[in-house]
């Protein structure tokens, strides 16, 4: 009796299941840790979902003012360990202020004191805070339904992979016309990258901004403005144009909440990027990412993970298995938080040195491995950056090979590469040439994956099997020593990040027995009231 087909790479399903099982074993202790802790960003996100916005004259958000005051007032009684909901809504119920905004202003002025309520007072505060946060989550639900209606009304992108283009001048009012023109030229997804260093700010800037460096600040108003502009483009073009930003860094949960409230469609949201490349404390990051992913799951947002970044610091051939390992961990963490397969934009990249013999065949092996291990995920395929030299002709050719690899392996989201990538900030003309490159390859070879079948037992299959085997070996080690220790040892991207160090550690607290956060309860229950 012949064996049933096992895909283009002939991967053993039992081997793939074993890899997933190891990822679960490695990830479970991290989930338990996240469940046992809260952070200042999670608590501030809860206040934002309850409707608190705005900032004082110095630009400090009211959510920061209120959360910091509560934490200071309860310092001798556990501080952040109880969460902010009970003290805040207890103060409102005691008549300290008529709403959250006024309460935050009084807290900043030092004219209100907070306490941890007990008994009936605590129950009343729980009920009131849950009601307020539930209203915010119902807004998120409405925005998700709004997206579904718009896709149905205007139509979706005509094919996959979706063409993903970055627009970020630093000035939101310059970004908007560029984004709209990019959509006219064929972009299906517009990504507004953040101003350099925003991930290290422990607050979310307020309002429309015009002064970002190498990117535009992620703010609620900037989200609103760009979403409205792309809605106009969707109507004009007869297809829904998606919007992406970044839910990472010290304010990951807050930005996720704002994305849900303003109907963003994708968010960069990797479980380890902030740890490795921004030196943010690992515990802080894992707690924040679990909450943010629960919000993304509720909002119907597709996440983009950041495995491509490992290959900018580690060799793309030698470290290929760390990408697969991270993808498996990201999948586990995402699904545990409630995300579905169609929301898993797992990242990988075309970063092998083109001088390496058979480099294109190796790229195909790695890309096809991701496609077959995660068959239902809209994989995010990232263009070459590390080996761009400034030779724009060679760069454009390399991007063409990247686009072809995406077509051959059926990627879901293709980020447009620029021939001046990693050399200078691309000109508008660079973007136009890059889009021409993508359009040509997709028009000429967009369905070539239907015909592409590697030779059984040949180079591509063997390489894919080798990378998967190395991933399983690494996951075995991580299960034995723990993921936090593996990160501290420099396993991913060669970055060594110990769990007791890094930015934002002082914003982490172990939950007390009295801890209450209505947002986490509502998100885990899937409740609307």
């Amino acid at each position: 009796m012949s064996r049933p087909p096992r895909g283009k790479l002939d991967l053993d399903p039992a081997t793939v299941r074993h890899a997933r099982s190891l990822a679960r074993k490695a990830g479970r202790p991290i989930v338990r840790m996240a469940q046992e802790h809260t952070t200042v960003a999670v608590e501030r996100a809860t206040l934002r979902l309850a409707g608190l916005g705005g900032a004082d004259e110095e630009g400090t958000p009211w959510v920061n003012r209120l959360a910091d005051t509560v934490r200071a007032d309860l310092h001798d009684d556990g501080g952040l360990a109880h969460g902010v909901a009970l003290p805040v809504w207890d103060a409102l119920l005691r008549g300290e202020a008529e709403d959250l905004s006024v309460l935050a202003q009084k807290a900043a002025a030092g004219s209100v004191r907070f306490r941890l309520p007990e008994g009936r007072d605590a129950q009343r505060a729980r009920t009131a805070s849950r009601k307020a946060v539930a209203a915010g989550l119902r807004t998120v639900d409405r925005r998700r339904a709004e997206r579904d209606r718009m896709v149905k009304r205007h139509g979706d992108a005509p094919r996959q992979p979706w063409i993903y283009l970055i627009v970020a001048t630093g000035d939101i009012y310059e970004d908007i016309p560029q984004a709209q023109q990019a959509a006219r030229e064929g972009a299906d997804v517009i990504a507004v990258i953040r101003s350099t260093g925003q991930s290290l700010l422990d607050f979310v800037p307020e309002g429309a901004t015009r002064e970002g460096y190498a990117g535009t600040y992620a703010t609620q108003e900037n989200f609103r403005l760009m979403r409205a502009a792309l809605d106009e483009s969707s109507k004009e073009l007869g297809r829904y144009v998606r919007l992406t930003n970044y839910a990472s860094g010290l304010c990951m949960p807050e930005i996720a909440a704002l994305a849900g409230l303003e109907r963003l469609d994708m968010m960069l949201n990797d479980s380890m990027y902030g740890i490795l490349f921004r030196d943010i404390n690992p515990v802080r990051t894992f707690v924040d990412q679990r909450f943010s992913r629960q919000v993304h799951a509720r909002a119907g947002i597709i996440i983009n993970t950041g495995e491509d970044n490992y290959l900018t610091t580690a060799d793309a051939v030698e470290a290929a298995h760390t990408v697969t390992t991270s993808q498996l961990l990201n999948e586990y963490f995402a699904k545990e938080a409630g995300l579905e397969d169609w929301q898993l934009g797992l990242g990988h990249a075309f970063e092998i040195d083109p001088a390496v013999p058979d480099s294109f065949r190796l790229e195909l092996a790695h890309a096809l491995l991701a496609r077959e291990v995660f068959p239902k995920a809209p994989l995010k395929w990232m263009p070459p950056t590390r080996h761009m030299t400034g030779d724009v002709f060679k760069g454009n050719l390399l991007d063409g090979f990247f686009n072809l690899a995406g077509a051959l392996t059926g990627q879901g989201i293709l980020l447009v590469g620029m021939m001046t990538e990693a050399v200078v900030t691309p000109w508008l003309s660079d973007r136009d040439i890059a889009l021409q490159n993508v359009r040509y390859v997709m028009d000429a070879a967009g369905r070539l994956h239907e015909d592409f079948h590697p030779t059984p037992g040949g180079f591509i299959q063997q390489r894919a099997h080798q990378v998967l085997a190395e991933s399983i070996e690494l996951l075995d080690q991580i299960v034995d020593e723990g993921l936090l220790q593996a990160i501290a040892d420099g396993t991913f991207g060669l970055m060594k990040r110990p769990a007791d160090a890094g930015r934002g550690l002082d914003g982490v607290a172990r939950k007390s027995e009295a801890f209450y956060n209505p947002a986490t309860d509502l998100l885990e229950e899937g409740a609307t009231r």
Side-chain angles (χ1 to χ4, degrees):
M1 185 174 179
S2 62
R3 188 185 68 185
R6 300 198 297 195
K8 295 182 179 183
L9 292 176
D10 194 32
L11 299 176
D12 183 352
T15 301
V16 177
R17 286 195 300 271
H18 179 54
R20 281 197 164 87
S21 174
L22 290 172
R24 282 195 301 272
K25 289 179 181 178
R28 278 175 185 153
I30 300 297
V31 171
R32 286 195 296 270
M33 178 189 72
Q35 291 170 326
E36 293 168 355
H37 292 80
T38 189
T39 74
V40 288
V42 168
E43 300 303 316
R44 294 192 304 248
T46 302
L47 294 173
R48 288 186 181 277
L49 287 170
L52 181 56
D56 64 16
E57 293 180 354
E58 298 176 353
T60 302
W62 290 121
V63 292
N64 287 65
R65 291 291 194 192
L66 185 52
D68 289 349
T69 303
V70 171
R71 188 179 182 191
D73 282 358
L74 298 182
H75 181 267
D76 294 335
D77 192 29
L80 192 67
H82 313 302
V84 301
L86 294 183
V88 164
W89 271 270
D90 171 66
L92 290 173
L93 291 169
R94 286 189 283 114
E96 294 287 355
E98 56 267 32
D99 59 33
L100 282 175
S101 180
V102 175
L103 184 66
Q105 293 173 51
K106 286 188 171 183
S111 59
V112 60
R113 296 285 295 176
F114 294 94
R115 65 171 189 170
L116 181 65
E118 298 178 351
R120 183 174 294 181
D121 288 341
Q123 185 55 50
R124 291 175 64 223
R126 284 191 191 93
T127 301
S129 64
R130 183 180 174 105
K131 181 179 179 181
V133 174
L137 287 174
R138 288 197 299 275
T139 298
V140 172
D141 296 341
R142 286 194 296 272
R143 302 313 302 268
R144 177 174 181 165
E146 194 174 78
R147 179 193 301 114
D148 293 341
R149 287 195 302 272
M150 293 191 72
V151 171
K152 186 175 181 180
R153 181 186 308 135
H154 299 309
D156 212 336
R159 64 187 171 198
Q160 284 195 334
W162 289 339
I163 298 172
Y164 176 117
L165 193 87
I166 290 173
V167 173
T169 66
D171 182 342
I172 188 63
Y173 294 106
E174 290 292 329
D175 291 346
I176 286 171
Q178 292 195 20
Q180 291 180 314
Q181 186 58 32
R184 293 185 190 103
E185 293 296 319
D188 303 307
V189 183
I190 300 296
V192 184
I193 62 172
R194 293 188 306 189
S195 180
T196 297
Q198 185 177 348
S199 62
L200 302 183
L201 299 180
D202 213 345
F203 68 94
V204 179
E206 184 70 19
T209 63
R210 311 194 70 168
E211 69 282 355
Y213 178 76
T216 302
Y217 284 102
T219 75
Q220 184 169 9
E221 179 63 6
N222 285 349
F223 288 177
R224 187 191 68 79
L225 289 168
M226 185 61 82
R227 178 68 274 163
L230 293 182
D231 285 350
E232 292 178 7
S233 296
S234 299
K235 183 177 180 181
E236 172 194 336
L237 299 170
R239 57 181 171 85
Y240 184 67
V241 182
R242 286 175 168 80
L243 175 59
T244 299
N245 212 284
Y246 290 53
S248 60
L250 291 170
C251 293
M252 186 192 306
E254 294 176 82
I255 293 176
L258 296 177
L261 292 168
E262 298 299 337
R263 191 172 31 91
L264 273 70
D265 306 288
M266 294 185 187
M267 297 296 283
L268 277 75
N269 185 239
D270 185 73
S271 62
M272 293 189 284
Y273 174 83
I275 300 169
L276 302 176
F277 297 97
R278 294 294 181 265
D279 194 22
I280 296 174
N281 174 258
V283 180
R284 170 79 176 257
T285 298
F286 282 121
V287 176
D288 285 349
Q289 69 92 23
R290 184 171 187 266
F291 182 92
S292 66
R293 289 183 176 191
Q294 289 177 319
V295 174
H296 292 328
R298 182 71 173 252
I301 288 172
I302 296 170
I303 66 166
N304 297 162
T305 62
E307 284 81 7
D308 56 285
N309 293 283
Y310 305 163
L311 304 184
T312 63
T313 53
D315 182 80
V317 178
E318 293 178 1
H321 66 293
T322 68
V323 170
T324 306
T325 300
S326 179
Q327 288 170 334
L328 287 160
L329 290 167
N330 255 315
E331 179 193 50
Y332 168 70
F333 290 134
K335 288 192 171 184
E336 189 281 328
L339 288 157
E340 300 180 46
D341 282 318
W342 65 268
Q343 294 174 284
L344 305 185
L346 300 171
H348 56 145
F350 189 94
E351 290 284 18
I352 296 173
D353 185 344
V356 170
D358 291 313
S359 64
F360 187 67
R361 298 169 81 195
L362 288 166
E363 295 284 16
L364 289 177
H366 299 172
L368 195 55
L369 176 63
R371 179 71 286 161
E372 299 222 333
V373 172
F374 308 98
K376 298 179 182 179
L379 303 176
K380 185 184 176 190
W381 182 227
M382 298 289 285
T385 58
R386 185 175 182 181
H387 299 289
M388 286 293 197
T389 63
D391 180 337
V392 294
F393 301 104
K394 183 177 179 181
N396 199 37
L397 179 62
L398 195 57
D399 282 331
F401 271 63
F402 157 75
N403 295 330
L404 180 60
L408 280 168
T409 58
Q411 300 301 308
I413 304 164
L414 187 145
L415 194 148
V416 176
M418 306 283 177
M419 62 283 196
T420 48
E421 191 82 53
V423 180
V424 297
T425 300
W427 297 93
L428 288 174
S429 56
D430 299 345
R431 181 185 299 145
D432 187 55
I433 292 170
L435 283 168
Q436 287 181 32
N437 189 323
V438 175
R439 286 197 302 268
Y440 168 70
V441 173
M442 291 304 146
D443 288 344
R447 298 176 61 184
L448 197 54
H449 63 91
E450 297 174 10
D451 307 306
F452 172 55
H453 294 273
T455 302
F459 179 90
I460 289 175
Q461 279 196 2
Q462 289 184 40
R463 175 59 182 170
H465 284 239
Q466 176 190 352
V467 173
L468 181 58
E470 291 174 355
S471 300
I472 288 171
E473 183 179 347
L474 178 55
L475 282 166
D476 264 322
Q477 295 175 17
I478 292 172
V479 169
D480 288 341
E481 68 179 12
L483 181 55
L484 290 178
Q485 187 59 51
I487 293 170
D489 291 341
T491 301
F492 301 96
L494 304 180
M495 302 294 182
K496 296 183 178 182
R497 305 300 191 196
D500 59 355
R503 297 178 174 95
L505 176 58
D506 61 346
V508 180
R510 179 175 289 275
K511 295 175 182 177
S512 72
E513 291 185 4
F515 176 84
Y516 180 68
N517 183 308
T520 54
D521 283 4
L522 287 160
L523 289 167
E524 294 198 3
E525 296 165 13
T528 60
R529 303 285 174 184

